[in-house]
Amino acid sequence: MRLLGVALLFGLLTVLTQIGGVVYLVARWLSRKAKITGLAARLAIFVTLYVSATAATPFLAPAFGRIALSCFERGSLQVQSPLYCILNRNYLTPVAKRAAEALSVAMEQKHPGTVTLVLDANFPFLGGFPLLPHLSHNDGRKLDVAFYYRDEAGGVLNRVTRSPIGYFAFEEPVADAVLPCRGRTDLLTLRWDMGFLQGLFPAWTLDEVRTGAALRWLASEGQEFGVERIFIEPHLSQRLGVSGQNLGFQGCRAARHDDHIHFQVRE
Ligand SMILES: [Zn+2]
């Protein structure tokens, strides 16, 4: 029973943070060695080790071909929430980082003051290790970019997303939109609707101008920076008036892409 608990916790921490599971095992071993039994003390050991490992990872990851997006940066490109850095989900290849920076610079030039927010990137280590629930974020070349929003009165909002983590605030299709997944009832699917959450988010609207500009940049100029594939729901690319060979649809069983833009760079 105890072993099952350890395995579950190891699995959960590994899936969420990649290094957390191993840190947990080390912390557990240390606590046993030092004969520490109190829960608070054992938790303190884990947290100390986890924070140290997370702080050291940006220096180790480059040996594995990935670099970190900093959660302390306050320029035109920012990580949407410190959570992404705390969970080690902010790593990507140098090419992907350069593309994201170039996107944010282009956006700031076109719409001064605009901060481009990024969400899940990749874990720091091991090619092929997926960053759930994004199966494809496993090689450092994928990055999710948050949408840009306007408030209820139509005023431009900056550095905020409707959902606290940037995901799951879905844009509902307008009438006559292209809907490739309509009527499907897949049991095995990552296409969650999260209906129970939708009412909790502020009623801000998608900033079609800036979100369209970002999508257009990725589909055109972005190619010079290595962008080779972009995922967004067809009803949104249609609404934003953006098309391109590299603009794709992730399929009906993958996560919905009407709450963020996903892009991939070449190797
Ligand atoms: Zn993605």
Side-chain angles (χ1 to χ4, degrees):
M1 203 58 204
R2 173 174 287 185
L3 207 61
L4 186 69
V6 172
L8 277 177
L9 207 50
F10 170 81
L12 182 72
L13 286 166
T14 302
V15 162
L16 262 181
T17 71
Q18 191 176 51
I19 64 170
V22 173
V23 170
Y24 164 64
L25 292 185
V26 172
R28 193 169 180 274
W29 177 79
L30 274 178
S31 301
R32 294 190 128 195
K33 264 267 191 256
K35 298 198 168 42
I36 295 167
T37 49
L39 185 64
R42 293 180 71 161
L43 192 65
I45 291 175
F46 168 75
V47 170
T48 307
L49 281 182
Y50 182 79
V51 169
S52 311
T54 299
T57 299
F59 303 99
L60 303 172
F64 297 82
R66 300 192 195 171
I67 46 179
L69 283 166
S70 167
C71 277
F72 299 106
E73 285 285 332
R74 281 297 164 260
S76 59
L77 183 73
Q78 297 182 20
V79 180
Q80 190 266 349
S81 161
L83 207 61
Y84 292 108
C85 298
I86 293 168
L87 300 178
N88 301 297
R89 302 170 77 99
N90 57 323
Y91 289 84
L92 66 189
T93 62
V95 175
K97 189 177 181 187
R98 217 172 305 129
E101 284 167 348
L103 165 69
S104 75
V105 168
M107 286 300 292
E108 142 76 28
Q109 275 169 0
K110 207 159 190 225
H111 302 280
T114 292
V115 171
T116 296
L117 297 177
V118 295
L119 311 171
D120 266 333
N122 309 260
F123 282 135
F125 308 117
L126 305 175
F129 193 107
L131 178 105
L132 293 178
H134 323 268
L135 296 173
S136 76
H137 286 228
N138 63 2
D139 54 9
R141 292 156 53 208
K142 319 289 173 22
L143 182 64
D144 290 346
V145 180
F147 287 166
Y148 306 83
Y149 293 96
R150 284 176 186 261
D151 63 20
E152 290 91 332
V156 168
L157 289 167
N158 208 18
R159 224 219 155 279
V160 288
T161 50
R162 283 182 65 214
S163 139
I165 56 162
Y167 289 106
F168 309 137
F170 302 115
E171 291 302 317
E172 287 311 320
V174 292
D176 303 326
V178 190
L179 296 174
C181 301
R182 171 174 279 163
R184 286 184 62 132
T185 49
D186 299 305
L187 284 178
L188 204 63
T189 183
L190 289 167
R191 194 180 171 82
W192 304 321
D193 290 332
M194 304 264 174
F196 61 100
L197 278 179
Q198 302 307 311
L200 302 176
F201 302 132
W204 301 335
T205 54
L206 179 70
D207 186 338
E208 295 184 359
V209 175
R210 287 186 301 166
T211 309
L215 191 60
R216 206 165 293 117
W217 186 92
L218 286 168
S220 50
E221 284 105 310
Q223 292 182 45
E224 292 161 35
F225 293 89
V227 177
E228 61 176 11
R229 194 132 187 80
I230 305 148
F231 284 154
I232 189 160
E233 295 283 315
H235 75 84
L236 274 179
S237 46
Q238 183 190 33
R239 176 172 154 196
L240 299 171
V242 183
S243 57
Q245 292 243 305
N246 44 10
L247 217 61
F249 174 51
Q250 73 283 351
C252 290
R253 286 187 168 193
R256 285 178 67 155
H257 282 76
D258 43 13
D259 56 343
H260 70 278
I261 303 171
H262 163 108
F263 78 85
Q264 165 186 329
V265 297
R266 60 168 187 263
E267 283 186 64

PDB file of all heavy atoms in Angstrom, residues 120 134 136-137 142-144 167 257 260-263, ligand 1:
ATOM      1  N   ASP A 120       2.707  26.773 -21.971  1.00  0.00           N
ATOM      2  CA  ASP A 120       3.558  25.587 -21.903  1.00  0.00           C
ATOM      3  C   ASP A 120       4.565  25.564 -23.043  1.00  0.00           C
ATOM      4  O   ASP A 120       4.210  25.772 -24.210  1.00  0.00           O
ATOM      5  CB  ASP A 120       2.685  24.324 -22.000  1.00  0.00           C
ATOM      6  CG  ASP A 120       2.298  23.783 -20.630  1.00  0.00           C
ATOM      7  OD1 ASP A 120       3.053  24.003 -19.661  1.00  0.00           O
ATOM      8  OD2 ASP A 120       1.252  23.109 -20.538  1.00  0.00           O
ATOM      9  N   HIS A 134      -0.045  17.896 -23.526  1.00  0.00           N
ATOM     10  CA  HIS A 134       0.363  18.113 -24.919  1.00  0.00           C
ATOM     11  C   HIS A 134       1.321  17.005 -25.312  1.00  0.00           C
ATOM     12  O   HIS A 134       2.486  17.037 -24.933  1.00  0.00           O
ATOM     13  CB  HIS A 134       1.088  19.448 -25.098  1.00  0.00           C
ATOM     14  CG  HIS A 134       0.542  20.570 -24.271  1.00  0.00           C
ATOM     15  ND1 HIS A 134      -0.427  21.414 -24.737  1.00  0.00           N
ATOM     16  CD2 HIS A 134       0.828  20.974 -23.017  1.00  0.00           C
ATOM     17  CE1 HIS A 134      -0.707  22.295 -23.792  1.00  0.00           C
ATOM     18  NE2 HIS A 134       0.035  22.048 -22.745  1.00  0.00           N
ATOM     19  N   SER A 136       2.693  16.368 -28.070  1.00  0.00           N
ATOM     20  CA  SER A 136       3.754  16.719 -29.016  1.00  0.00           C
ATOM     21  C   SER A 136       4.839  17.618 -28.413  1.00  0.00           C
ATOM     22  O   SER A 136       5.888  17.787 -29.011  1.00  0.00           O
ATOM     23  CB  SER A 136       3.160  17.400 -30.246  1.00  0.00           C
ATOM     24  OG  SER A 136       2.816  18.745 -29.926  1.00  0.00           O
ATOM     25  N   HIS A 137       4.603  18.174 -27.247  1.00  0.00           N
ATOM     26  CA  HIS A 137       5.631  19.057 -26.653  1.00  0.00           C
ATOM     27  C   HIS A 137       6.733  18.203 -26.024  1.00  0.00           C
ATOM     28  O   HIS A 137       6.893  18.165 -24.805  1.00  0.00           O
ATOM     29  CB  HIS A 137       5.020  19.939 -25.564  1.00  0.00           C
ATOM     30  CG  HIS A 137       4.168  21.062 -26.060  1.00  0.00           C
ATOM     31  ND1 HIS A 137       4.290  22.356 -25.623  1.00  0.00           N
ATOM     32  CD2 HIS A 137       3.157  21.084 -26.957  1.00  0.00           C
ATOM     33  CE1 HIS A 137       3.387  23.127 -26.221  1.00  0.00           C
ATOM     34  NE2 HIS A 137       2.688  22.371 -27.039  1.00  0.00           N
ATOM     35  N   LYS A 142       8.318  22.998 -29.536  1.00  0.00           N
ATOM     36  CA  LYS A 142       6.923  23.426 -29.506  1.00  0.00           C
ATOM     37  C   LYS A 142       6.731  24.507 -28.442  1.00  0.00           C
ATOM     38  O   LYS A 142       7.344  24.453 -27.375  1.00  0.00           O
ATOM     39  CB  LYS A 142       6.006  22.236 -29.173  1.00  0.00           C
ATOM     40  CG  LYS A 142       6.384  20.922 -29.849  1.00  0.00           C
ATOM     41  CD  LYS A 142       6.120  20.934 -31.317  1.00  0.00           C
ATOM     42  CE  LYS A 142       6.610  19.754 -32.128  1.00  0.00           C
ATOM     43  NZ  LYS A 142       6.890  18.485 -31.589  1.00  0.00           N
ATOM     44  N   LEU A 143       5.849  25.434 -28.744  1.00  0.00           N
ATOM     45  CA  LEU A 143       5.542  26.482 -27.774  1.00  0.00           C
ATOM     46  C   LEU A 143       4.105  26.936 -27.961  1.00  0.00           C
ATOM     47  O   LEU A 143       3.622  27.063 -29.089  1.00  0.00           O
ATOM     48  CB  LEU A 143       6.494  27.676 -27.961  1.00  0.00           C
ATOM     49  CG  LEU A 143       6.314  28.842 -26.980  1.00  0.00           C
ATOM     50  CD1 LEU A 143       6.612  28.415 -25.544  1.00  0.00           C
ATOM     51  CD2 LEU A 143       7.221  30.013 -27.358  1.00  0.00           C
ATOM     52  N   ASP A 144       3.409  27.171 -26.851  1.00  0.00           N
ATOM     53  CA  ASP A 144       2.049  27.698 -26.897  1.00  0.00           C
ATOM     54  C   ASP A 144       2.068  29.187 -26.564  1.00  0.00           C
ATOM     55  O   ASP A 144       2.726  29.598 -25.605  1.00  0.00           O
ATOM     56  CB  ASP A 144       1.151  26.956 -25.901  1.00  0.00           C
ATOM     57  CG  ASP A 144       0.885  25.519 -26.346  1.00  0.00           C
ATOM     58  OD1 ASP A 144       1.162  25.203 -27.520  1.00  0.00           O
ATOM     59  OD2 ASP A 144       0.410  24.731 -25.509  1.00  0.00           O
ATOM     60  N   TYR A 167      -4.920  28.725 -20.373  1.00  0.00           N
ATOM     61  CA  TYR A 167      -5.608  27.656 -21.096  1.00  0.00           C
ATOM     62  C   TYR A 167      -7.075  27.555 -20.662  1.00  0.00           C
ATOM     63  O   TYR A 167      -7.443  28.004 -19.580  1.00  0.00           O
ATOM     64  CB  TYR A 167      -4.962  26.305 -20.807  1.00  0.00           C
ATOM     65  CG  TYR A 167      -3.604  26.123 -21.423  1.00  0.00           C
ATOM     66  CD1 TYR A 167      -2.462  26.170 -20.641  1.00  0.00           C
ATOM     67  CD2 TYR A 167      -3.452  25.890 -22.797  1.00  0.00           C
ATOM     68  CE1 TYR A 167      -1.207  25.987 -21.194  1.00  0.00           C
ATOM     69  CE2 TYR A 167      -2.202  25.702 -23.359  1.00  0.00           C
ATOM     70  CZ  TYR A 167      -1.083  25.757 -22.548  1.00  0.00           C
ATOM     71  OH  TYR A 167       0.162  25.581 -23.101  1.00  0.00           O
ATOM     72  N   HIS A 257      -7.648  23.915 -29.735  1.00  0.00           N
ATOM     73  CA  HIS A 257      -6.742  25.040 -29.948  1.00  0.00           C
ATOM     74  C   HIS A 257      -7.522  26.300 -30.251  1.00  0.00           C
ATOM     75  O   HIS A 257      -7.206  27.034 -31.170  1.00  0.00           O
ATOM     76  CB  HIS A 257      -5.736  24.726 -31.061  1.00  0.00           C
ATOM     77  CG  HIS A 257      -4.617  23.832 -30.599  1.00  0.00           C
ATOM     78  ND1 HIS A 257      -4.777  22.487 -30.415  1.00  0.00           N
ATOM     79  CD2 HIS A 257      -3.340  24.109 -30.244  1.00  0.00           C
ATOM     80  CE1 HIS A 257      -3.639  21.962 -29.977  1.00  0.00           C
ATOM     81  NE2 HIS A 257      -2.743  22.925 -29.877  1.00  0.00           N
ATOM     82  N   HIS A 260      -5.535  29.014 -27.375  1.00  0.00           N
ATOM     83  CA  HIS A 260      -4.142  29.437 -27.527  1.00  0.00           C
ATOM     84  C   HIS A 260      -3.659  29.080 -28.927  1.00  0.00           C
ATOM     85  O   HIS A 260      -4.320  28.341 -29.641  1.00  0.00           O
ATOM     86  CB  HIS A 260      -3.259  28.752 -26.480  1.00  0.00           C
ATOM     87  CG  HIS A 260      -3.076  27.276 -26.722  1.00  0.00           C
ATOM     88  ND1 HIS A 260      -4.007  26.337 -26.323  1.00  0.00           N
ATOM     89  CD2 HIS A 260      -2.093  26.578 -27.337  1.00  0.00           C
ATOM     90  CE1 HIS A 260      -3.582  25.131 -26.657  1.00  0.00           C
ATOM     91  NE2 HIS A 260      -2.436  25.242 -27.299  1.00  0.00           N
ATOM     92  N   ILE A 261      -2.493  29.616 -29.303  1.00  0.00           N
ATOM     93  CA  ILE A 261      -1.867  29.251 -30.572  1.00  0.00           C
ATOM     94  C   ILE A 261      -0.668  28.356 -30.257  1.00  0.00           C
ATOM     95  O   ILE A 261       0.093  28.644 -29.328  1.00  0.00           O
ATOM     96  CB  ILE A 261      -1.323  30.505 -31.317  1.00  0.00           C
ATOM     97  CG1 ILE A 261      -2.440  31.522 -31.555  1.00  0.00           C
ATOM     98  CG2 ILE A 261      -0.654  30.111 -32.626  1.00  0.00           C
ATOM     99  CD1 ILE A 261      -1.932  32.870 -32.078  1.00  0.00           C
ATOM    100  N   HIS A 262      -0.531  27.272 -31.000  1.00  0.00           N
ATOM    101  CA  HIS A 262       0.611  26.372 -30.827  1.00  0.00           C
ATOM    102  C   HIS A 262       1.510  26.504 -32.040  1.00  0.00           C
ATOM    103  O   HIS A 262       1.020  26.534 -33.171  1.00  0.00           O
ATOM    104  CB  HIS A 262       0.070  24.941 -30.703  1.00  0.00           C
ATOM    105  CG  HIS A 262       1.081  23.863 -30.917  1.00  0.00           C
ATOM    106  ND1 HIS A 262       1.560  23.088 -29.889  1.00  0.00           N
ATOM    107  CD2 HIS A 262       1.681  23.411 -32.042  1.00  0.00           C
ATOM    108  CE1 HIS A 262       2.428  22.199 -30.382  1.00  0.00           C
ATOM    109  NE2 HIS A 262       2.514  22.386 -31.690  1.00  0.00           N
ATOM    110  N   PHE A 263       2.818  26.626 -31.830  1.00  0.00           N
ATOM    111  CA  PHE A 263       3.690  26.565 -33.004  1.00  0.00           C
ATOM    112  C   PHE A 263       4.906  25.668 -32.757  1.00  0.00           C
ATOM    113  O   PHE A 263       5.237  25.348 -31.619  1.00  0.00           O
ATOM    114  CB  PHE A 263       4.084  27.966 -33.499  1.00  0.00           C
ATOM    115  CG  PHE A 263       5.166  28.658 -32.708  1.00  0.00           C
ATOM    116  CD1 PHE A 263       6.505  28.416 -32.971  1.00  0.00           C
ATOM    117  CD2 PHE A 263       4.841  29.609 -31.754  1.00  0.00           C
ATOM    118  CE1 PHE A 263       7.510  29.074 -32.272  1.00  0.00           C
ATOM    119  CE2 PHE A 263       5.834  30.271 -31.037  1.00  0.00           C
ATOM    120  CZ  PHE A 263       7.183  30.002 -31.302  1.00  0.00           C
TER     121      PHE A 263
HETATM  122 ZN    ZN B   1       1.007  23.264 -27.928  1.00  0.00          ZN
END
